[in-house]
Amino acid sequence: MFGKNAESVQKRTLIDFRKMKDNGEPVAWITAYDFPLSQCAEAAGVDMILIGDSGGMVQLGYQTTNPVTMDEMITLSKSVRRGAPNTFLVGDMPQGSYEVSKETAISSALRFVKEAGCDAVKCEGGRRVVDKVKAMVDAGILVIGHLGLTPQSTASFGGYRVQGKTVATFDEIMEDALALQEAGIFSLLLEAMPNAPAAKVAKKLKIPVYGIGAGDGVDGQLLIMHDLLGLYSGFRPWFAKCYIPQSISSYLNHIQSTEDVRKLGREEQSDGLGFIAREAIAAYVEEVKLHKFPGSQYSYPIKPEELDNLKKSKYW
Ligand code: KIV
């Protein structure tokens, strides 16, 4: 049976996230973009929700995240806040909302906080945007950095490619990470990196370092809701586990214990897809907390010779 009752949910704070890193308790983080699935995520006991600009693809149907606007992000974020009133929410700054100037960055970030009730924002990039990140931090906004594969600039990587496998790309990531930490981000997300280099970044930084497709040596995991539920018909990355097969059996048990199937969806109004989604998200939360996900099955491999070479980095 899934997570927590709405009344027992306590919103996490910055202090909790720091303590969790110190105590080795992984953070279970998921994306959401709408009211019903954010209700499921809160009930399943996630530590935080990202309203990702990936919503542009999985929810709004764009081919990439690049067309997503601030107004669209605010609408998605407001609906998530209504669905998950007691969960730490992170608004993802879409392309164009923070790179142009410090003023634009601060006013976009403040929209997430003031209009949508977000607790923090996330933006992609390292040293190239560090002055904007510092300006947001100085304005009192909690900021999460995002390095490794950064979808808004996939063109500059030559497509969706695993990052941090060579000394040159690992050093770039380390230097960006240290600059962002210095600018005051409270945590960092690494995307699409093999376990060893991502774990090394997590170890070198004082702040919590989370991963999506970055192995299990980091301080927490993020998954895209629509990958976890098998709801997106486009690309599914290698590390994205679909939790529906294992939640179907608990659904079947649930309906077998229901004497009158006509009552399904009436007496308990989220007895259908809502039940299955909560079970699936709760299974993910449990596997993260027990260090079962991602494991080697859902992590990018690295060849022994690539790893030996990486150890030559001055940051290793
Ligand atoms: O938009 C998003 O969901 C993200 C993740 C891919 C990390 O930024």
Side-chain angles (χ1 to χ4, degrees):
M1 193 60 190
F2 52 83
K4 306 170 184 172
N5 297 320
E7 309 79 58
S8 70
V9 176
Q10 267 268 320
K11 199 204 271 190
R12 295 282 191 198
T13 66
L14 194 61
I15 316 283
D16 295 320
F17 295 125
R18 285 188 188 137
K19 277 195 196 141
M20 289 165 86
K21 174 169 177 118
D22 293 343
N23 299 337
E25 184 194 337
V27 160
W29 187 15
I30 193 171
T31 67
Y33 319 94
D34 62 25
F35 176 74
L37 289 175
S38 48
Q39 281 188 311
C40 294
E42 182 161 298
V46 298
D47 296 305
M48 60 181 174
I49 294 178
L50 171 71
I51 305 102
D53 66 349
S54 52
M57 296 170 75
V58 302
Q59 189 84 16
L60 303 178
Y62 296 130
Q63 289 292 312
T64 68
T65 59
N66 301 102
V68 178
T69 65
M70 265 308 292
D71 285 345
E72 286 167 331
M73 288 306 298
I74 294 296
T75 302
L76 299 178
S77 304
K78 282 177 163 177
S79 67
V80 171
R81 177 46 88 209
R82 289 190 284 266
N86 301 313
T87 302
F88 191 94
L89 292 193
V90 183
D92 199 12
M93 303 190 72
Q95 189 182 45
S97 70
Y98 57 99
E99 307 90 327
V100 182
S101 68
K102 295 180 195 171
E103 291 71 22
T104 325
I106 296 172
S107 54
S108 304
L110 283 175
R111 287 194 66 193
F112 277 108
V113 176
K114 292 171 72 78
E115 294 178 39
C118 287
D119 301 286
V121 297
K122 170 176 92 55
C123 63
E124 297 184 5
R127 285 158 293 169
R128 69 183 169 87
V129 291
V130 79
D131 57 329
K132 281 65 173 198
V133 169
K134 175 138 185 13
M136 290 188 279
V137 171
D138 289 346
I141 298 157
L142 296 180
V143 182
I144 302 186
H146 180 172
L147 297 172
L149 194 157
T150 43
Q152 288 168 15
S153 41
T154 40
S156 64
F157 298 118
Y160 287 87
R161 284 173 190 277
V162 182
Q163 302 295 310
K165 281 170 100 169
T166 62
V167 174
T169 59
F170 175 72
D171 284 357
E172 284 277 307
I173 292 170
M174 264 317 300
E175 276 161 30
D176 282 338
L178 291 168
L180 290 171
Q181 175 171 264
E182 180 66 28
I185 57 166
F186 82 97
S187 62
L188 175 69
L189 175 70
L190 296 176
E191 179 166 354
M193 286 175 73
N195 186 53
K200 190 55 88 180
V201 179
K203 204 153 172 240
K204 295 267 174 193
L205 264 58
K206 295 193 277 283
I207 54 173
V209 175
Y210 307 125
I212 176 162
D216 47 21
V218 287
D219 304 309
Q221 301 295 328
L222 171 66
L223 260 193
I224 302 282
M225 173 75 80
H226 290 52
D227 289 336
L228 185 151
L229 299 179
L231 254 185
Y232 182 57
S233 57
F235 171 70
R236 162 115 39 99
W238 159 273
F239 58 78
K241 176 169 176 181
C242 174
Y243 280 84
I244 289 299
Q246 66 202 75
S247 62
I248 288 291
S249 58
S250 40
Y251 182 65
L252 293 176
N253 288 339
H254 171 67
I255 53 174
Q256 268 154 21
S257 67
T258 306
E259 280 159 30
D260 183 352
V261 285
R262 285 173 308 162
K263 288 184 179 165
L264 280 176
R266 290 192 186 153
E267 289 193 345
E268 245 208 72
Q269 286 164 5
S270 57
D271 252 3
L273 289 178
F275 184 100
I276 299 172
R278 280 194 307 270
E279 285 289 331
I281 302 165
Y284 160 66
V285 172
E286 184 172 282
E287 288 193 3
V288 170
K289 298 286 173 188
L290 296 175
H291 299 269
K292 287 188 178 163
F293 177 82
S296 55
Q297 219 189 340
Y298 292 96
S299 299
Y300 287 109
I302 183 161
K303 295 191 186 115
E305 58 274 24
E306 286 173 326
L307 187 54
D308 283 346
N309 204 39
L310 263 186
K311 291 181 182 165
K312 295 181 191 146
S313 159
K314 61 177 185 257
Y315 294 108
W316 200 264

